[in-house]
Amino acid sequence: MRQALILVALAFLPGIGQAIYFRDKVSWQLPVPASEMVTVVQARAWGENAIWIDARPDEEFARDHVPGAVSLNEDRWNELLPQFLAVWSPEKKIVVYCSSQSCNASREVAHRLRNQAQPPMQNVFVLEGGWEEWLKSRQ
Amino acid sequence: MRTHIFAFTLSIVICAAARAELKWERTLIELHPAVGDKEAVGHFKYQNTGNQPVRIKSVHTSCGCTAAQTQKDEVPPGDKGEITATFKIGDRTGTQVKAVTVDTDDPVNATTVLTLKAVIPQEIEINPSLVFWGQGEAPNPKTIVVRAGKDFRLKHLTVTSSNPDFKTKVEQAGTGEFKINVQPRETSGIAAATLTIQPENSAKAFYATARVTNAPAIQ
């Protein structure tokens, strides 16, 4: 019994050490479960049943975007939301993307959409690799 | 053999003596912008405490909403400077955490991640901000809860619907809390309304949406 407790205590040590060492390092990436991520191939297979949302800033959307995508970013959320709602219906899948794998805007927008509707908006997915991955798939 | 040991020792001594080091005053800055502020700016100050110049190779941010600028590309020994990170607030809410990654030619600490945390004040919280009914669903009322944000007072509010087919009724649910009951006249066709929520003593209007969608609502 004592040995088991010692082992448990030892198992906690690296975690405690990390928590103390990184106490001022705050995560800036919103965690998204794997079930809420989607690849370009999967999302493209949904065809007309998917609504693509571009979470990048306006100027990047204006430069180029996924055909048919709707712009919805947090810079102008209140202004852009009605455009998205006009094309949205509950049975459709929503694919949100930002510029790359490391960007966070798509996660933030997806999180906001899921949590701001009653009943909760389902079928909201974050595109793995974002716009960069979409460009690669186009080549 | 002796020559090898001497060369090895000498290289270590030279490396230790010729060091370049960028010391940061703080790598985490928390900002509390005021209501209506368009942006929040953080100043990350540094000093080269080594005796070799440090070259800042690149500065990039985790979000298109944050711009970072460096005062100088090369920092001579003893020199001070700062990286300015400007976070565009836009329509963001709550606590926002953004990262600024600084890459240098410092052999010991080549990469530093700076963190900008902005706590955006919210006059009111609206939950949910979208209520919807599926076509053919019973047109029962749905409730939107409006609460005063931290450090704000909410005594009274008015709600106007852009579409007369959606009726609204406001009732107080507690101190600084209101319930807006929204009810569509019917759900036989697609319809939508923007609900303008105007708190008393606030210059800003807030919005929620009510819709009858073309598919059965997910229960």
Side-chain angles (χ1 to χ4, degrees):
Chain A
M1 181 63 183
R2 210 178 71 177
Q3 278 180 330
L5 284 173
I6 291 169
L7 279 174
V8 169
L10 284 174
F12 272 110
L13 276 180
I16 294 166
Q18 198 182 25
I20 293 168
Y21 187 74
F22 293 111
R23 64 189 181 279
D24 62 341
K25 305 278 189 296
V26 188
S27 171
W28 66 87
Q29 269 221 331
L30 207 63
V32 175
S35 60
E36 290 168 6
M37 300 290 294
V38 65
T39 64
V40 173
V41 176
Q42 285 171 318
R44 288 182 103 154
W46 289 336
E48 295 290 304
N49 291 323
I51 301 171
W52 291 72
I53 292 186
D54 191 315
R56 300 175 302 159
D58 293 344
E59 52 279 12
E60 287 181 45
F61 177 79
R63 218 173 292 144
D64 199 3
H65 55 261
V66 173
V70 180
S71 174
L72 179 60
N73 58 56
E74 289 198 291
D75 291 339
R76 295 192 300 128
W77 179 269
N78 296 332
E79 223 174 301
L80 297 171
L81 187 64
Q83 290 174 31
F84 160 69
L85 291 175
V87 296
W88 171 78
S89 65
E91 86 286 0
K92 289 209 170 180
K93 290 179 165 61
I94 300 163
V95 182
V96 193
Y97 67 91
C98 51
S99 47
S100 64
Q101 184 64 37
S102 61
C103 68
N104 196 35
S106 54
R107 293 158 189 260
E108 303 272 5
V109 166
H111 177 76
R112 216 162 154 171
L113 285 175
R114 272 189 214 107
N115 291 288
Q116 289 202 347
Q118 182 56 44
M121 208 176 267
Q122 296 182 346
N123 297 328
V124 184
F125 299 89
V126 170
L127 186 70
E128 278 178 29
W131 172 246
E132 273 181 9
E133 205 55 39
W134 164 269
L135 284 179
K136 278 184 209 163
S137 77
R138 228 170 40 170
Q139 286 162 2
Chain B
M1 183 64 185
R2 226 184 256 173
T3 320
H4 282 114
I5 293 170
F6 176 71
F8 180 71
T9 315
L10 190 67
S11 66
I12 287 176
V13 170
I14 289 170
C15 285
R19 64 192 172 81
E21 195 178 358
L22 223 51
K23 276 255 189 281
W24 295 88
E25 196 177 280
R26 276 183 299 170
T27 54
L28 169 70
I29 291 180
E30 184 171 316
L31 300 168
H32 293 262
V35 172
D37 280 1
K38 299 263 184 291
E39 53 188 34
V41 184
H43 301 272
F44 293 95
K45 293 183 177 166
Y46 58 76
Q47 182 176 17
N48 182 357
T49 57
N51 49 20
Q52 290 290 307
V54 175
R55 196 165 66 83
I56 296 176
K57 295 200 283 192
S58 70
V59 179
H60 59 269
T61 63
S62 63
C63 170
C65 57
T66 310
Q69 275 191 320
T70 176
Q71 278 180 333
K72 43 188 103 178
D73 294 334
E74 187 152 308
V75 189
D79 234 29
K80 291 178 179 179
E82 68 174 44
I83 301 275
T84 310
T86 307
F87 166 63
K88 187 177 174 185
I89 296 172
D91 288 333
R92 289 170 183 82
T93 58
T95 300
Q96 300 280 329
V97 181
K98 307 297 166 196
V100 178
T101 307
V102 184
D103 286 316
T104 68
D105 64 354
D106 179 351
V108 184
N109 259 328
T111 302
T112 304
V113 178
L114 308 169
T115 308
L116 189 72
K117 189 175 170 186
V119 183
I120 302 164
Q122 264 179 287
E123 277 186 74
I124 58 168
E125 287 170 30
I126 303 169
N127 190 28
S129 58
L130 164 70
V131 283
F132 65 93
W133 293 259
Q135 227 167 341
E137 183 183 333
N140 295 327
K142 294 195 177 184
T143 306
I144 294 172
V145 177
V146 180
R147 278 191 199 94
K150 197 173 166 254
D151 303 327
F152 289 95
R153 293 176 71 185
L154 180 62
K155 280 187 172 178
H156 184 69
L157 58 85
T158 52
V159 179
T160 46
S161 169
S162 65
N163 183 343
D165 288 342
F166 287 85
K167 299 279 178 219
T168 61
K169 192 177 158 197
V170 181
E171 58 185 62
Q172 186 144 18
T175 311
E177 187 172 321
F178 291 85
K179 279 182 179 173
I180 305 168
N181 294 311
V182 190
Q183 186 168 26
R185 195 164 55 87
E186 54 174 0
T187 59
S188 57
I190 296 168
T194 299
L195 311 175
T196 305
I197 303 165
Q198 184 64 61
E200 193 185 52
N201 300 329
S202 174
K204 192 179 169 188
F206 298 83
Y207 302 95
T209 308
R211 284 183 71 85
V212 174
T213 66
N214 61 352
I218 300 154
Q219 297 300 320

